[in-house]
Amino acid sequence: MAKIWEGLAVLGMLAAAPSLANAATVVAHVDVAKQVMTVSRQGKVLYTWKVSTARKGYDTPLGTWRPYRIHQLWKSRKYDDAPMPYAVFYDRGWAVHGTKAVSRLGRPASHGCVRLATSNAKAFYDLVREVGPGNTRIIVAN
């Protein structure tokens, strides 16, 4: 009887393995309506920060992504070499990055990126570097 239970336990672990492998270690959830980003690691909330997403006339795409590129300091090719410190790119040219315009955080103000206080962007960037982009998910939702 013990052998049967051991076999069932092994089958259960094998069945769960694909979902565990696909689970993200770090999840950044951007709430566009509330203009906040909540960062969790292994289900535990680490940070909740004010952000700025797209102002009127611009778009912050909604969806779920894995970061595909990170840069300690990126300069926008589209917006006059505007600095994008601690940029974590997640969809085409959109990124989570730092800004000096901290007075605008908490309301739509960007060209579409998710902007954070630079110290918060650094903390997120460091976390993505630590766990790897493949273990990170960025969710942007209303």
Side-chain angles (χ1 to χ4, degrees):
M1 189 69 161
K3 294 276 186 193
I4 293 172
W5 287 113
E6 288 174 8
L8 289 173
V10 169
L11 285 175
M13 290 187 321
L14 290 173
S19 62
L20 293 174
N22 292 329
T25 301
V26 170
V27 176
H29 184 271
V30 178
D31 186 322
V32 173
K34 293 181 182 177
Q35 293 292 291
V36 295
M37 181 169 101
T38 303
V39 180
S40 302
R41 184 174 188 170
Q42 295 177 330
K44 180 183 175 195
V45 173
L46 300 178
Y47 308 108
T48 300
W49 295 313
K50 289 183 182 180
V51 299
S52 288
T53 60
R55 66 181 185 244
K56 189 173 182 175
Y58 294 92
D59 181 48
T60 299
L62 305 180
T64 301
W65 297 273
R66 287 183 183 169
Y68 66 89
R69 189 173 80 212
I70 63 174
H71 294 274
Q72 189 171 6
L73 179 60
W74 184 258
K75 293 195 176 186
S76 172
R77 294 177 185 153
K78 190 172 183 177
Y79 297 108
D80 301 319
D81 286 335
M84 299 167 63
Y86 303 105
V88 178
F89 286 88
Y90 62 89
D91 180 36
R92 296 166 281 168
W94 282 277
V96 174
H97 66 81
T99 183
K100 291 181 182 177
V102 293
S103 65
R104 294 183 173 183
L105 295 175
R107 63 182 190 262
S110 79
H111 288 114
C113 286
V114 177
R115 299 190 316 193
L116 300 163
T118 300
S119 60
N120 297 341
K122 182 184 184 315
F124 181 60
Y125 169 91
D126 289 344
L127 196 55
V128 173
R129 281 193 57 174
E130 180 185 334
V131 304
N135 293 317
T136 304
R137 297 293 175 280
I138 298 172
I139 302 166
V140 181
N142 271 330

